[in-house]
Amino acid sequence: MHLALPKPIRHLWLPLVVFIPFVAAIWFRPLLPIDETRYTSVAWEMFLRRDWLQPLTMNFEPYHHKLPLLFWLINASWTVFGVTRWAATLPVVLSSLASVYLTIALGRLLFSDFDRQADRTAMVMVASVPFLVYSTLIYFDLTLTVFVLLSLIGIVLYARKRDWRSVLLIGLSLGFGVLARGPVAFLHILFPIALAPLWADDLRRPGRWYLGIFAALAIAGLIVLCWLVPVLMQADGKFTHSLLWDQTVGRATGTLNAHVRPFYFYLTLLPAMMIPWVFFPSFWKGAAALRQGWLNEEGTRLLFLWAAPTFLSFSPDRRETAALPDATGAGRRACRRPLSQKCPEPAPGAEHGRHGCGHRRRAGGRVGDVPEAI
């Protein structure tokens, strides 16, 4: 579905919609304690030091709880626009906008008929409660979402064609994803990589596939080491232990007590992440339709085998915002119409173009139609 707007406006509606909450947040609310005030303080102390490769500090004491990418982006924004609150929030807003465009790009890569529902997917994302809330908060998770989506795009491209550029895209995206949010970035792409034989239509030479993935992981590791080695050379033993052990192994095993949640917490959270669309019958029709022939479609298999096991893996030490990258997959799947639903007959003299209903068939019926209007 494309919006019935003049072409120039149709290309501008999404940035305008994303920047409305940004302007409202700048005008009508302060930085929210504890997280926004803390992260802005860390970025400010980095700005004072004029050194992006020193250990992070808060109140000029070592701060090992977070990785540096968001603070780098805030400092880059401050360098260009001056030290203001809106400049500190701008990287997050741009990340939220990029996440929508990358979701659409991934959808087009997975489904040849996706252009018909690109605008719908964008509307589902930008009007959902999590997006409206977190798109203006100085948090790390939308920045992580950008690099998770880039990694997934690289994974799909590499599964279809063994190309070193796809390996480079996966490695760079994963490396910066780790610098954005930590080792949890690996979890977000673990299952699409490990379960590739189950979702890819034609995964030729699986040995070469996994060899390329290991090369991408090596690239990601090199990117992280470019930051980690200079930091550890300037840090003491306590900071090193806290950064490498407590914040990686501790969070992965649940021994670090921050943000502890049982896995079923996220199952109850998933419908809330899709508000307001869960209140529309057409949303549930689209979700129920996933049971009809989903095994026959590569894109749907990938989205299911990515989002479902990753969501269940957010246990025991993950906060709810860390599930935002996977919510994009859940929303994209719910936008799909039943495969068995018939397309309307064309008007006399009309042709089925590239985006027409009859352009392509799969087992279980036609694809290419879009859900009912919400």
Side-chain angles (χ1 to χ4, degrees):
M1 182 197 76
H2 288 301
L3 295 179
L5 296 171
K7 189 173 182 180
I9 299 178
R10 185 158 55 84
H11 290 304
L12 291 175
W13 78 265
L14 181 56
L16 290 175
V17 169
V18 169
F19 275 87
I20 288 173
F22 169 58
V23 174
I26 298 302
W27 278 94
F28 297 112
R29 74 164 177 85
L31 293 173
L32 299 179
I34 301 175
D35 288 334
E36 279 199 299
T37 51
R38 174 195 299 152
Y39 302 148
T40 307
S41 297
V42 174
W44 171 242
E45 293 181 19
M46 176 185 287
F47 186 82
L48 292 177
R49 292 194 306 270
R50 304 286 181 178
D51 190 342
W52 293 10
L53 295 178
Q54 287 186 3
L56 298 175
T57 64
M58 185 178 69
N59 296 328
F60 301 99
E61 295 292 332
Y63 181 74
H64 54 77
H65 298 80
K66 300 297 179 184
L67 279 293
L69 184 61
L70 178 62
F71 307 121
W72 290 347
L73 295 175
I74 293 173
N75 272 261
S77 182
W78 279 344
T79 300
V80 175
F81 300 109
V83 181
T84 61
R85 187 269 181 89
W86 72 264
T89 310
L90 185 61
V92 178
V93 176
L94 293 177
S95 295
S96 66
L97 181 62
S99 68
V100 179
Y101 282 121
L102 288 171
T103 298
I104 294 172
L106 180 60
R108 286 173 173 155
L109 188 63
L110 294 176
F111 306 103
S112 62
D113 61 301
F114 190 79
D115 277 344
R116 292 169 50 85
Q117 47 191 320
D119 287 334
R120 181 181 298 277
T121 300
M123 285 189 290
V124 168
M125 289 186 66
V126 300
S128 62
V129 168
F131 191 93
L132 291 173
V133 172
Y134 291 107
S135 63
T136 61
L137 292 178
I138 301 177
Y139 283 170
F140 302 85
D141 300 285
L142 279 169
T143 306
L144 171 63
T145 300
V146 170
F147 293 108
V148 169
L149 290 169
L150 283 171
S151 298
L152 286 171
I153 290 172
I155 289 170
V156 174
L157 291 173
Y158 188 61
R160 295 177 179 176
K161 182 180 179 181
R162 302 295 185 269
D163 188 347
W164 66 268
R165 289 172 293 187
S166 300
V167 173
L168 185 62
L169 176 60
I170 299 170
L172 291 174
S173 303
L174 185 56
F176 285 109
V178 172
L179 291 177
R181 193 66 168 83
V184 70
F186 290 106
L187 177 61
H188 284 287
I189 67 164
L190 171 63
F191 294 102
I193 289 174
L195 303 179
L198 299 181
W199 62 260
D201 279 339
D202 187 16
L203 190 69
R204 299 184 302 272
R205 294 177 290 179
R208 186 175 176 183
W209 155 263
Y210 287 108
L211 182 63
I213 294 300
F214 281 120
L217 293 176
I219 294 171
L222 287 174
I223 292 173
V224 176
L225 287 174
C226 287
W227 165 77
L228 186 61
V229 170
V231 167
L232 295 184
M233 290 177 63
Q234 304 172 69
D236 57 20
K238 183 179 179 180
F239 183 92
T240 301
H241 180 272
S242 298
L243 179 64
L244 296 182
W245 185 259
D246 293 342
Q247 296 298 322
T248 53
V249 178
R251 288 187 182 274
T253 61
T255 56
L256 191 67
N257 291 325
H259 315 307
V260 174
R261 295 286 191 273
F263 80 93
Y264 52 81
F265 169 82
Y266 297 98
L267 295 179
T268 61
L269 183 67
L270 181 57
M273 297 184 74
M274 298 307 297
I275 291 174
W277 308 117
V278 291
F279 298 115
F280 292 86
S282 56
F283 176 89
W284 295 105
K285 290 178 183 178
L290 295 175
R291 295 177 298 176
Q292 304 181 24
W294 71 273
L295 287 173
N296 300 316
E297 196 166 23
E298 180 188 63
T300 308
R301 290 198 304 270
L302 170 60
L303 295 178
F304 181 83
L305 293 174
W306 162 44
T310 305
F311 217 87
L312 293 175
S313 299
F314 282 113
S315 170
D317 181 40
R318 294 266 67 86
R319 63 185 298 161
E320 54 272 20
T321 55
L324 284 175
D326 310 295
T328 63
R332 194 183 304 110
R333 292 200 314 274
C335 283
R336 304 287 295 172
R337 174 174 263 192
L339 295 178
S340 60
Q341 187 161 348
K342 300 298 183 182
C343 294
E345 291 298 324
E351 296 181 358
H352 286 296
R354 177 177 179 268
H355 307 303
C357 290
H359 80 281
R360 179 166 150 237
R361 284 182 178 267
R362 290 278 179 95
R366 297 175 186 260
V367 296
D369 211 353
V370 295
E372 305 292 344
I374 294 178

